[in-house]
Each structure stands twice: as structure tokens, then as C-alpha cells.
Amino acid sequence: MAKIINNKFQIGEGYLYLPAYPSGQYLPELTVDDKTLYLKDEFHVSLIKLKNYSDDKQKLILQELKQFNQKFPIDIITYSEEYRLVNNGKHQSIIQMCSVQNWADFERHVNDTYQPNLLLSHPTHVTLYTEKSHTGIGLNSSFAIEENTVLFDRL
């Protein structure tokens, strides 16, 4: 179960995320490469893989997020028309790329204030479809997007 840390951000399964509400008209399921993928019933944008950080660093990041978000709200998600099929060799999913207002500025602020590359930017996206028993595939870097995804134009 997710822990709500304010009226926007949540923490669950080791990630900080922002709930998302894609507005497309999506089918309840799709078949891709003989696999059936199902539309998720909850959508979010994963922002930070918190479980990669010590407790002290997590507290620091969340404190900075709270202060930064008061001045520069991180709450508007802009969805692109770019959909990608994700395949890590075992599982598949479909994602929609997006951007989150002020998120890149927050990452830059933390890295400039504390240490370079404390927060490693990863491409923001929303997972739309997954296999029935799988929650999604972690894509925490541009390299992961390049290596594990292809453009998908069947939506």
C-alpha cells in the first residue's frame, strides 16, 4: 500500500511517485507478440527510486522536495504521443512518455546543492499495460529506455 506524503506525492514499493490520469481511450487489453497485456487500474509516474538511497539521503531528498514544491509546484503531467513497447526478455508492458512540470529543475537543484548526480534523471513515463501478474518493468535510466523499448504505434 502506498504512503501518501502530501496531497500529491506517494511512496510505494521503494519509489516516490506522482499519481497520473492519462486521458486516452484505451482498450481493456491488447495482444502483442502473442502475449495479452492488460490496462492497469492505477497509473503513476515514478520519479525517484528511493530504495537506492540511505535513510538519511531519503529524508534529505523528501525534505528538499517539500520545500521546492511549495515554491515551484511539481504537479502537472504533460503526456506525449510517444508510446513504447517494453520488453526485458521476460515480460512486456506498454508505456506512454510524459514530462512533469518543474521536475528537471528539482533534480538540478538537489544536485547543485548537495552533490553532482545525487539524483539521476530518468525518463518520465506512465505504464499503461502490463501482463496480468506483473506490475511493470523498471526503466530508471535513458539507457534502460534505449535498450528495452521500441516505439509502439498501435494505440
Side-chain angles (χ1 to χ4, degrees), residues 36-103:
T36 302
L37 302 178
Y38 299 90
L39 185 65
K40 291 181 62 181
D41 57 4
E42 173 274 334
F43 303 103
H44 63 267
V45 179
S46 296
L47 298 171
I48 303 173
K49 189 174 181 181
L50 286 171
K51 59 187 172 187
N52 283 354
Y53 298 93
S54 69
D55 289 346
D56 288 342
K57 291 267 168 78
Q58 287 183 34
K59 288 176 188 172
L60 173 74
I61 290 167
L62 295 175
Q63 178 184 342
E64 284 295 325
L65 177 64
K66 182 179 179 181
Q67 293 173 359
F68 187 91
N69 188 56
Q70 289 174 346
K71 295 179 194 171
F72 308 102
I74 301 170
D75 58 357
I76 297 175
I77 300 170
T78 303
Y79 301 93
S80 85
E81 294 299 315
E82 180 182 345
Y83 297 91
R84 301 192 74 83
L85 175 64
V86 183
N87 186 336
N88 69 357
K90 297 178 187 175
H91 300 286
Q92 289 184 327
S93 62
I94 296 172
I95 62 173
Q96 181 177 16
M97 302 307 294
C98 64
S99 61
V100 178
Q101 175 184 310
N102 294 323
W103 183 250

Side-chain angles (χ1 to χ4, degrees), residues 3-11 16 62 65-66:
K3 173 184 170 187
I4 299 173
I5 61 171
N6 68 16
N7 62 344
K8 299 175 207 165
F9 301 99
Q10 298 180 8
I11 296 174
L16 172 75
L62 295 175
L65 177 64
K66 182 179 179 181

